[in-house]
Amino acid sequence: MQDQLDHELERIDKLPKLGLLWVEYSAYALGVNIAPRKRSSKYCRLTRILVLIVNLSIIYSLVAFIMENYMISFETYVEAVLLTFQLSVGVVKMFHFQNKVESCSQLVFSTETGEVLKSLDLFQLDLPRKKELLSSVSLILLNNWMIIDRQVMFFFKIVCMPVLYYCVRPYFQYIFDCYIKDKDTCEMTLTYPAIVPYLQLGNYEFPSYVIRFFLLQSGPLWCFFAVFGFNSLFVVLTRYESGLIKVLRFLVQNSTSDILVPKDQRVKYLQCCVRLFARISSHHNQIENLFKYIILVQCSVSSILICMLLYKISTVLEVGWVWMGMIMVYFVTIALEITLYNVSAQKVESQSELLFHDWYNCSWYNESKEFKFMIKMMLLFSRRTFVLSVGGFTSLSHKFLVQVFRLSANFFLLLRNMNNK
């Protein structure tokens, strides 16, 4: 029957997972191959060099614009500051995940193939209703993958909005200037405020205006790959971990069931549950080590970005409602970005808390001494819930999410008061 469990995991592995597929493509576009079993890493180094050169060029152009307009007003260059932070964080993420690409690819492989659940020896026991047990475990995993796909693709649509705005804005601006306002002379404006350096050689410019234009056009795409790819990877891994804990909870809840587990098989059955708990704990530690410090960077930058967006919204309210739609979409994207980290981590923590109660609430008091001993040990180990830390300072949770928004609001008030003075 163990072969049937492996066969079921292989069947789930072959099912289309749209969310994970887009995560892999986004990371691959930045030169980070997190799924080496599916595609080659031959050109990843060249891709990373190209991405680094382009991103540094765009960041330099944005910084040049900021320095040029530094003495005018903060409203003039706030958009350039936002994009500089986003591109810089994207570069940091690219190097971070490339540095830990082996750990990252191992986690993706384990998540997609169900490696944690293989060779548990659970279905080698003499259980009367193995098929029912297998179908229940399979249903939990399938439903979990459906939730992962929905969440990841929802985030995909949200992140696409500001990217599409920046990509199509110059074209709509050109049409408006040339055909609606009926200007005598009109030209294509740059995608966002930036000063791209160039050489003037007679009547020619190097690089040409077209090259400079499309160089800036690529900026939102690099932001998309970094924001969507690596943040959604966290969602996939943590949501899958919460699904594994759900499977373990289901097994523990039925550990004393007379229908599913005969009394003479319960010790061995519980040993399989303990083995699964150890594997989930190891899986959790790998996720913790992969995201521990990059989450600290992300939360710090997100606080700054939310603060600046609040300031930008306040200035738009004073000037007009023309840009309100774009800024609100940008604000929702950044807010959702930090929210996904905390909500996904909170889901894992909540499931682990429920697991502690499941260990205690099974009818262990009517079982053998060995069974009771294992329950006592698991109560001891499960008392420490699975949490994901922010650089070792605090843990991701709903409470921390509120603190981030509160900190951003305080910075916004400070910035507004300083600017008014």
Side-chain angles (χ1 to χ4, degrees), residues 16-29:
K17 302 177 181 67
L18 187 60
L20 181 58
L21 183 65
W22 273 104
V23 170
E24 293 172 358
Y25 282 151
S26 298
Y28 196 70

Side-chain angles (χ1 to χ4, degrees), residues 139-154:
L139 183 62
I140 293 173
L141 294 174
L142 289 172
N143 290 337
N144 193 52
W145 275 113
M146 288 176 60
I147 294 172
I148 291 173
D149 282 342
R150 284 200 298 265
Q151 288 191 347
V152 171
M153 295 314 298
F154 173 74

Side-chain angles (χ1 to χ4, degrees), residues 275-302:
R275 191 178 299 117
L276 179 57
F277 176 84
R279 293 183 182 183
I280 294 174
S281 180
S282 175
H283 185 81
H284 175 82
N285 291 333
Q286 289 179 347
I287 298 175
E288 165 81 6
N289 293 331
L290 180 61
F291 287 94
K292 184 176 183 179
Y293 296 107
I294 198 65
I295 286 177
L296 177 62
V297 176
Q298 180 65 67
C299 291
S300 302
V301 173
S302 293

Side-chain angles (χ1 to χ4, degrees), residues 160-210:
C160 279
M161 291 182 183
V163 175
L164 288 174
Y165 167 80
Y166 278 114
C167 289
V168 303
R169 181 171 73 172
Y171 302 103
F172 280 97
Q173 187 69 41
Y174 179 80
I175 294 172
F176 178 78
D177 291 340
C178 296
Y179 299 102
I180 298 178
K181 295 183 74 172
D182 196 20
K183 286 185 177 180
D184 295 333
T185 58
C186 57
E187 62 179 11
M188 184 74 75
T189 58
L190 294 176
T191 307
Y192 40 82
I195 299 177
V196 184
Y198 65 92
L199 293 176
Q200 186 76 35
L201 302 175
N203 295 328
Y204 299 97
E205 297 176 352
F206 181 81
S208 66
Y209 184 83
V210 175

Side-chain angles (χ1 to χ4, degrees), residues 1 19 23 26 42 57 60 82 98 118-119 130 144 153 155 177 213 238 251 263 284 306 314 326 351 380 403:
M1 190 64 184
V23 170
S26 298
K42 184 177 180 181
S57 301
Y60 178 84
L82 289 169
Q98 176 57 32
K118 289 183 178 179
S119 303
K130 292 181 180 180
N144 193 52
M153 295 314 298
F155 186 54
D177 291 340
F213 175 81
T238 51
L251 295 177
K263 202 169 186 65
H284 175 82
I306 291 173
S314 67
M326 181 277 296
Q351 287 295 321
L380 180 63
Q403 291 175 345

Side-chain angles (χ1 to χ4, degrees), residues 53-282:
I53 293 173
V54 173
N55 276 267
L56 290 180
S57 301
I58 298 173
I59 292 171
Y60 178 84
S61 303
L62 291 167
V63 172
F65 179 85
I66 295 170
M67 298 305 295
E68 183 74 18
N69 298 274
Y70 180 74
M71 299 302 295
I72 300 176
S73 67
F74 184 69
E75 294 90 340
T76 307
Y77 57 87
V78 61
E79 187 176 7
V81 174
L82 289 169
L83 292 170
T84 302
F85 272 113
Q86 282 284 25
L87 289 167
S88 301
V89 171
V91 172
V92 171
K93 286 182 177 180
M94 182 181 71
F95 280 106
H96 172 78
F97 285 99
Q98 176 57 32
N99 188 44
K100 296 193 174 184
V101 67
E102 291 185 5
S103 175
C104 190
S105 58
Q106 183 181 355
L107 278 170
V108 172
F109 175 79
S110 176
T111 297
E112 196 168 11
T113 60
E115 198 71 20
V116 176
L117 292 170
K118 289 183 178 179
S119 303
L120 276 178
D121 298 331
L122 179 65
F123 291 93
Q124 291 182 357
L125 302 178
D126 187 16
L127 303 178
R129 298 189 177 183
K130 292 181 180 180
K131 289 185 178 180
E132 292 182 12
L133 196 63
L134 178 62
S135 62
S136 299
V137 171
S138 176
L139 183 62
I140 293 173
L141 294 174
L142 289 172
N143 290 337
N144 193 52
W145 275 113
M146 288 176 60
I147 294 172
I148 291 173
D149 282 342
R150 284 200 298 265
Q151 288 191 347
V152 171
M153 295 314 298
F154 173 74
F155 186 54
F156 175 87
K157 295 172 184 176
I158 295 296
V159 177
C160 279
M161 291 182 183
V163 175
L164 288 174
Y165 167 80
Y166 278 114
C167 289
V168 303
R169 181 171 73 172
Y171 302 103
F172 280 97
Q173 187 69 41
Y174 179 80
I175 294 172
F176 178 78
D177 291 340
C178 296
Y179 299 102
I180 298 178
K181 295 183 74 172
D182 196 20
K183 286 185 177 180
D184 295 333
T185 58
C186 57
E187 62 179 11
M188 184 74 75
T189 58
L190 294 176
T191 307
Y192 40 82
I195 299 177
V196 184
Y198 65 92
L199 293 176
Q200 186 76 35
L201 302 175
N203 295 328
Y204 299 97
E205 297 176 352
F206 181 81
S208 66
Y209 184 83
V210 175
I211 294 177
R212 300 199 305 271
F213 175 81
F214 284 107
L215 173 69
L216 295 181
Q217 277 279 78
S218 67
L221 293 176
W222 304 125
C223 289
F224 169 82
F225 293 139
V227 171
F228 171 75
F230 298 128
N231 292 351
S232 297
L233 175 62
F234 181 83
V235 174
V236 172
L237 296 178
T238 51
R239 282 288 175 172
Y240 181 77
E241 182 186 354
S242 68
L244 290 176
I245 300 175
K246 281 185 181 179
V247 171
L248 179 56
R249 287 184 57 213
F250 169 78
L251 295 177
V252 172
Q253 289 168 2
N254 291 279
S255 60
T256 54
S257 171
D258 294 328
I259 300 175
L260 292 176
V261 186
K263 202 169 186 65
D264 61 327
Q265 297 292 320
R266 289 178 185 174
V267 172
K268 294 181 180 178
Y269 179 93
L270 193 62
Q271 287 174 348
C272 296
C273 294
V274 171
R275 191 178 299 117
L276 179 57
F277 176 84
R279 293 183 182 183
I280 294 174
S281 180
S282 175

